[in-house]
Amino acid sequence: MKSVFKGLLIFFTLALFFSLVVHAEKNEQEHGERDEGTLVYHVKYDYDAISNFLGISLDDYEEYWKKGLSISDMAKKQGISRHDLVGYFYGFHYKEMQKWRAKGPMTEKDYFDLVFRLSDEIDKFIDRNPNR
C-alpha cells in the first residue's frame, strides 16, 4: 500500500511540475516576451527646420539660445502658440517613429510606450535652455 501511495504522489508531483513549465512557456509566448533588449529611441533635431518653423533665421535662433531663451520662449516671442509648437514636435516624432516602425526595430509595444511618454519629453525639450 505504501508503494502505491508513493507512486501516485510522484506521478502527481511530476504532472504538476510539467503543467507549470508548459503554462509558463505558453504565457511567455502569449505576452510576446522578447530577448532582443530595450529599444533606445534617439532622434537628431534639425535646428534649421525648427528655426524655419519659428519664422526666424538660424543665426537668430542661435543668438536667442545664447541669451537663454528656450524654444518655447522663442515661439512666444514670434506669436506662435504653445499648442502649435507642441503640434510641430508631435508631427516630427510621428514621422520619425513611422520610419523606425517600417525598418522593423520598433514594435507596437515600443511605439505605444514612446507615445505615452512623448508629451513630457517634448515639454522638457522645448522649455529647457542650459544657458539660463
Side-chain angles (χ1 to χ4, degrees), residues 5-70:
F5 180 69
K6 199 186 242 183
L8 285 174
L9 183 61
I10 291 173
F11 172 76
F12 285 118
T13 303
L14 289 174
L16 179 63
F17 173 75
F18 285 114
S19 171
L20 291 174
V21 170
V22 170
H23 177 69
E25 286 176 5
K26 191 176 193 182
N27 202 11
E28 217 174 76
Q29 290 170 358
E30 288 173 0
H31 288 86
E33 299 295 327
R34 57 186 184 135
D35 296 324
E36 295 98 39
T38 305
L39 175 76
V40 177
Y41 175 71
H42 181 76
V43 294
K44 183 171 172 62
Y45 287 107
D46 178 355
Y47 290 95
D48 192 38
I50 293 171
S51 64
N52 284 336
F53 172 77
L54 294 171
I56 58 177
S57 69
L58 188 55
D59 290 337
D60 287 341
Y61 176 92
E62 290 171 356
E63 189 61 36
Y64 288 150
W65 186 257
K66 288 177 189 172
K67 290 180 180 178
L69 271 67
S70 66

Side-chain angles (χ1 to χ4, degrees), residues 88-107:
Y88 169 82
F89 283 97
Y90 276 132
F92 169 81
H93 283 283
Y94 175 78
K95 290 174 190 168
E96 286 299 311
M97 284 191 260
Q98 294 309 312
K99 289 179 199 173
W100 283 52
R101 289 173 80 186
K103 290 179 184 175
M106 185 178 289
T107 65

